[in-house]
């Protein structure tokens, strides 16, 4: 091996080793880019403040571009000796796999990093994955300790998708039945919180095959759909309190989840009263709108991070940009919007591309 190859391998390790020798250490994985660091910081703060004094927490961030400066700031933020925070550059493992994969709406390319994890964490049988637009309100060790033997993963049922399937989005039922081909559409899970049984995943699938599946269809919800197809019939459903999606623009509960089966709707409403994890799923984020649903949870933890001032500066910079359409008006116009810009249409994709461009500018 020549010197240049050796240095490259040091710069881009192919796997991660456990930070603690204790096999009961809680392993938590997230994915983010450099622009998302201030929001990731609030999530990390919430995990640290709710962690048990008797456990160790091995936190790994999957990324391709988080700067050394931001990495150091996050490491200095987490002061507990029982919490290890590290960053793993996915660039070499992702090369040749994520290029050309489709994005939709507010989704970013980091969502696909979930499909790499069984090859990154070779020394682990189980890891907990969390989306970076979340706030933790209970000790994640409770969820990590869930027994997933015999299951590919554990996750929460998705009441939002159930409501879409039951008529809010006319295109969702044929898509679910004919493309996803789920035997029970109401078993569909939300992928923001996933406890992966990596040992079983390695036995069942190759990473390359999973990415090939990801590129084979115009998946509406990207790798979340892919994981639901792969894990069908082998998912352990955990209480929705571990992934409480916020009430996007006042529509999610009144218009969408209200259409879900009664048991799913009731479980979601109950979970909102005492959430373990709040998920700011969708384009409406608390750092853009401090009056949005459950935004106070985010700002509570963000206030104790090194990025609080930067968050306030971003908020102030966007303060003059009022919503083009109020939530009340949006509620009335949304059915017409879905007809004029049907899911999967070129019109909808053009709007989504514009949205991603605006979001990219906002992150800077």
């Amino acid at each position: 091996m020549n010197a240049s190859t050796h240095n490259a391998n040091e710069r881009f390790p192919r796997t991660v080793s456990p930070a603690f020798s204790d096999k009961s250490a809680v392993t938590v994985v997230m994915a983010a880019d450099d622009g998302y660091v201030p929001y990731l910081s609030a999530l990390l703060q919430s995990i640290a403040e709710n962690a048990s004094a008797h456990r160790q927490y091995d936190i790994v961030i999957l990324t391709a571009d988080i700067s050394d400066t931001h990495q150091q700031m996050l490491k200095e933020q987490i002061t507990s000796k029982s919490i290890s925070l590290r960053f793993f550059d996915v660039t070499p493992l992702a090369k040749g796999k994520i290029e050309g994969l489709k994005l939709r709406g507010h989704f970013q390319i980091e969502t696909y990093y979930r499909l790499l994890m069984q090859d990154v964490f070779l020394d682990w049988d189980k890891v907990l994955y969390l989306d970076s637009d979340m706030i933790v309100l209970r000790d994640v060790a409770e969820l990590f300790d869930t027994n997933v033997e015999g299951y590919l993963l554990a996750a929460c049922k998705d009441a939002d998708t159930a409501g879409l399937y039951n008529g809010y989005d006319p295109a969702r039922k044929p898509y679910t039945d004919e493309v996803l081909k789920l035997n029970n559409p109401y078993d569909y899970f939300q992928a923001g919180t996933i406890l992966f049984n990596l040992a079983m995943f390695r036995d069942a699938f190759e990473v390359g095959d999973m990415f090939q599946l990801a590129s084979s269809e115009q998946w509406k919800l990207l790798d979340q759909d892919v994981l639901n197809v792969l894990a069908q019939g082998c998912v352990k459903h955990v209480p929705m309190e571990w992934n409480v999606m916020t009430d996007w623009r006042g529509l999610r509960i009144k218009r969408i989840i209200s259409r879900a089966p009664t048991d799913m709707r009731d479980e979601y409403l109950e979970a909102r009263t005492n959430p373990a994890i709040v998920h700011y799923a969708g384009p409406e984020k608390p750092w853009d709108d401090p009056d949005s649903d459950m935004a106070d949870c985010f700002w509570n933890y963000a206030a104790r991070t090194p990025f609080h001032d930067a968050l306030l500066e971003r908020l102030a910079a966007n303060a003059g940009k009022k919503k083009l359409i109020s939530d009340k008006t949006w509620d009335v116009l949304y059915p017409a919007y879905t007809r004029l810009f049907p899911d999967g249409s070129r019109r909808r994709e053009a709007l989504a591309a514009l949205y991603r461009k605006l979001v990219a500018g906002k992150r800077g």
Side-chain angles (χ1 to χ4, degrees), residues 131-162:
D131 273 352
S132 295
D133 57 347
M134 289 179 152
I135 289 294
V136 166
L137 300 176
R138 289 225 308 264
D139 184 5
V140 293
E142 296 179 42
L143 179 58
F144 183 81
D145 290 341
T146 300
N147 184 354
V148 289
E149 185 177 354
Y151 297 93
L152 282 165
L153 57 87
C156 304
K157 288 187 178 182
D158 190 342
D160 183 80
T161 295

Side-chain angles (χ1 to χ4, degrees), residues 223-241:
D223 65 308
Q224 177 170 287
D225 283 352
V226 172
L227 287 168
N228 269 276
V229 169
L230 292 173
Q232 180 176 184
C234 207
V235 176
K236 185 170 189 174
H237 293 106
V238 294
M240 283 186 198
E241 61 195 15

Side-chain angles (χ1 to χ4, degrees), residues 106-118:
H106 62 281
F107 295 102
Q108 300 298 314
I109 197 65
E110 285 76 19
T111 186
Y112 287 107
Y113 294 171
R114 284 180 286 214
L115 303 182
L116 293 167
M117 293 201 306
Q118 67 189 55

Side-chain angles (χ1 to χ4, degrees), residues 170-234:
R172 188 55 58 99
K173 187 179 189 304
Y175 170 77
T176 302
D177 294 345
E178 298 166 18
V179 179
L180 299 183
K181 299 179 181 178
L182 300 183
N183 294 326
N184 185 349
Y186 304 121
D187 281 344
Y188 186 98
F189 62 85
Q190 216 288 336
T193 299
I194 301 181
L195 184 60
F196 280 97
N197 182 342
L198 293 185
M200 192 168 176
F201 253 93
R202 291 188 199 98
D203 288 341
F205 309 110
E206 296 285 343
V207 165
D209 293 337
M210 290 194 288
F211 274 95
Q212 185 174 3
L213 180 62
S215 63
S216 68
E217 291 279 355
Q218 297 287 333
W219 305 105
K220 292 183 183 294
L221 294 177
L222 310 185
D223 65 308
Q224 177 170 287
D225 283 352
V226 172
L227 287 168
N228 269 276
V229 169
L230 292 173
Q232 180 176 184
C234 207

Side-chain angles (χ1 to χ4, degrees), residues 25-85:
V26 180
T27 306
V28 187
V29 181
M30 287 154 269
D33 66 4
D34 196 59
Y36 226 79
V37 163
Y39 322 132
L40 173 66
S41 176
L43 170 56
L44 292 172
Q45 188 71 23
S46 71
I47 292 173
E49 290 189 23
N50 289 286
S52 168
H54 308 294
R55 296 292 290 273
Q56 293 174 314
Y57 298 79
D58 194 352
I59 302 176
V60 180
I61 311 300
L62 304 179
T63 188
D65 69 349
I66 293 181
S67 68
D68 291 343
T69 298
H70 280 166
Q71 289 187 27
Q72 188 60 34
M73 290 175 69
L74 291 173
K75 288 180 179 179
E76 291 176 357
Q77 172 188 336
I78 305 301
T79 58
S80 171
K81 292 183 179 180
S82 64
I83 300 177
S84 167
L85 175 62

